[in-house]
Amino acid sequence: MIRFGTLGAAYITPAALIDRCNDDPRASVEIVAARDLSRAKAFAKQHGISNVVDNYQEVIEDININAIYNPLQIGLHHEWTICVSTTDEYCCPKFHK
């Protein structure tokens, strides 16, 4: 089972990750963080994500997660991809349909 955490509540995330996980019983999105906690909570509620945290590091450190989706803007993407690369988790860059 692939258990994703997502760094951000980006516009692309539902089409690029959440919808695909919903279509595959071997994958799920378990946790989300966003720069704005209220945005993360609303995003999680809309997409059925059970855990919301208030910073990206908590997503990365969650022991239940084995893959990170990074849809962050270019200014943050590099920094957080490197941060994930120091863990045992798989980092997924932005991808499109």
Side-chain angles (χ1 to χ4, degrees):
M1 175 76 157
I2 301 173
R3 294 176 307 278
F4 283 94
T6 182
L7 305 180
Y11 175 77
I12 190 173
T13 304
L17 178 68
I18 295 170
D19 295 346
R20 294 166 192 245
C21 287
N22 289 342
D23 291 341
D24 191 330
R26 300 167 298 174
S28 65
V29 181
E30 301 288 329
I31 190 169
V32 61
R35 288 178 286 170
D36 176 344
L37 183 59
S38 63
R39 178 174 161 83
K41 287 179 179 179
F43 186 87
K45 183 177 180 179
Q46 180 180 1
H47 298 289
I49 300 170
S50 56
N51 298 307
V52 179
V53 293
D54 64 357
N55 67 69
Y56 303 139
Q57 191 65 42
E58 287 185 65
V59 174
I60 294 167
E61 292 174 354
D62 189 307
I63 62 170
N64 298 309
I65 300 304
N66 54 22
I68 301 292
Y69 177 63
N70 183 354
L72 297 174
Q73 64 195 21
I74 196 69
L76 295 172
H77 190 87
H78 181 255
E79 170 189 353
W80 286 102
T81 297
I82 289 173
C83 190
V84 173
S85 74
T86 65
T87 70
D88 291 335
E89 295 164 337
Y90 178 75
C91 186
C92 302
K94 293 180 189 180
F95 46 89
H96 303 273
K97 285 185 173 183

